[in-house]
């Protein structure tokens, strides 16, 4: 059986003696990826939120980090090492956490743009670039987490091959002869996708396959373009 065969039928049975030799890891059941890359990205985002200027955070600067950290703690306790538990209540908490992080990021972007347009932001170029850089990096981290958590139903669903059709097509999926058979997309791959999309404003070597993936990438590029252009323009004006 080939990878394309597994996409048109049931998920391959990992108990078959030679299945591991014939089907790449991304298309068969695996032990699930380590949770720590994604957890580190979430903690990094919460630290950024805490240190953003008060005008760019939703409510007190501790509010979103405190709520998100509590939800993250539940997920870590429930699945501390490998992301392989495909349970409804865990999925719902994970989606709520993704929604909270997205809300905080969008709030920061909107208030940064409004402050730049209204001229209410500080005339300190260094402070402006630091705040703008923090909001831009928040954009990269949140969209990386969204790509990672939604692709084929999330990391646990990918481990169980619950949805065989990929939402993102990585190079290693297209040319299996150039990839380790044990390769499968993990959070650093989605972080790379998010970073390149936020800097190039277009796909590089990872192609969105589903409509929601294309919509998310288009939205991220638009947010990144507006944020970078306005911050740089204001900073140049201040330096003059």
């Amino acid at each position: 059986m080939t990878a394309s065969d597994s996409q048109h039928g049931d998920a391959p049975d990992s108990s078959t003696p030679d299945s591991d030799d014939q089907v790449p890891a991304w298309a068969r059941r695996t032990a699930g990826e380590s949770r720590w890359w994604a957890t580190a990205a979430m903690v990094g985002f919460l630290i950024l939120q805490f240190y953003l200027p008060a005008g760019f955070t939703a409510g007190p600067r501790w509010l979103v980090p405190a709520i998100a950290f509590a939800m993250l703690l539940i997920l870590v306790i429930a699945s501390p090492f490998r992301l392989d538990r495909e349970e409804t209540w865990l999925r719902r908490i994970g989606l709520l956490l993704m929604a909270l992080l997205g809300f905080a990021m969008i709030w920061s972007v909107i208030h940064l743009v409004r402050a730049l347009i209204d001229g209410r932001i500080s005339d300190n170029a260094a402070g402006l670039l630091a705040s703008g850089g923090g909001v831009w990096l928040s954009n990269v981290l949140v969209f990386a987490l969204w790509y990672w958590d939604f692709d084929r139903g999330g990391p646990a669903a990918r481990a169980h091959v619950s949805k065989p059709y990929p939402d993102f097509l990585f190079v290693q999926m297209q040319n299996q002869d150039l990839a380790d058979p044990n390769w499968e997309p993990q959070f650093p791959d989605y972080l790379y996708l998010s970073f390149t999309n936020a800097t190039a404003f277009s796909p590089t070597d990872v192609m969105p396959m589903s409509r929601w993936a294309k919509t998310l990438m288009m939205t991220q590029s638009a947010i990144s373009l507006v944020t970078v252009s306005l911050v740089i323009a204001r900073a140049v004006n201040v330096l003059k």
Side-chain angles (χ1 to χ4, degrees), residues 22-155:
Q22 297 179 351
V23 181
W26 67 267
R28 57 176 161 84
R29 289 178 65 112
T30 61
E33 70 174 281
S34 170
R35 75 150 43 254
W36 295 111
W37 280 108
T39 301
M42 294 178 198
V43 171
F45 173 83
L46 298 179
I47 292 173
L48 282 173
Q49 279 288 304
F50 185 79
Y51 284 104
L52 282 177
F56 300 154
T57 59
R61 65 175 58 195
W62 55 265
L63 182 60
V64 169
I67 297 174
F69 184 77
M71 299 170 70
L72 179 59
L73 187 61
I74 294 173
L75 295 175
V76 170
I77 292 174
S79 185
F81 303 111
R82 293 282 175 181
L83 294 165
D84 58 355
R85 291 185 61 179
E86 202 175 12
E87 299 180 18
T88 301
W89 71 274
L90 281 176
R91 183 61 177 161
R92 287 176 178 172
I93 293 177
L95 291 176
L96 284 174
L97 177 57
M98 292 298 109
L100 178 61
L101 299 184
F103 168 78
M105 181 270 295
I106 292 172
W107 179 283
S108 299
V109 170
I110 290 175
H111 283 75
L112 173 65
V113 170
R114 288 179 59 184
L116 287 167
I117 293 174
D118 296 344
R120 293 182 285 106
I121 200 161
S122 171
D123 286 336
N124 183 336
L128 171 61
L129 290 173
S131 298
V135 172
W136 182 84
L137 184 55
S138 296
N139 171 36
V140 172
L141 291 175
V142 166
F143 276 94
L145 289 165
W146 281 357
Y147 299 148
W148 168 80
D149 200 46
F150 296 150
D151 184 21
R152 286 194 292 155

Side-chain angles (χ1 to χ4, degrees), residues 135-194:
V135 172
W136 182 84
L137 184 55
S138 296
N139 171 36
V140 172
L141 291 175
V142 166
F143 276 94
L145 289 165
W146 281 357
Y147 299 148
W148 168 80
D149 200 46
F150 296 150
D151 184 21
R152 286 194 292 155
R158 290 194 295 273
H160 292 275
V161 201
S162 299
K163 297 181 179 180
Y165 297 108
D167 294 295
F168 294 101
L169 185 65
F170 292 86
V171 173
Q172 291 89 338
M173 295 177 177
Q174 301 176 62
N175 194 336
Q176 298 171 16
D177 294 334
L178 300 180
D180 189 322
N182 293 319
W183 182 91
E184 56 184 319
Q186 298 187 4
F187 181 76
D189 302 292
Y190 296 98
L191 180 61
Y192 167 80
L193 164 63
S194 180

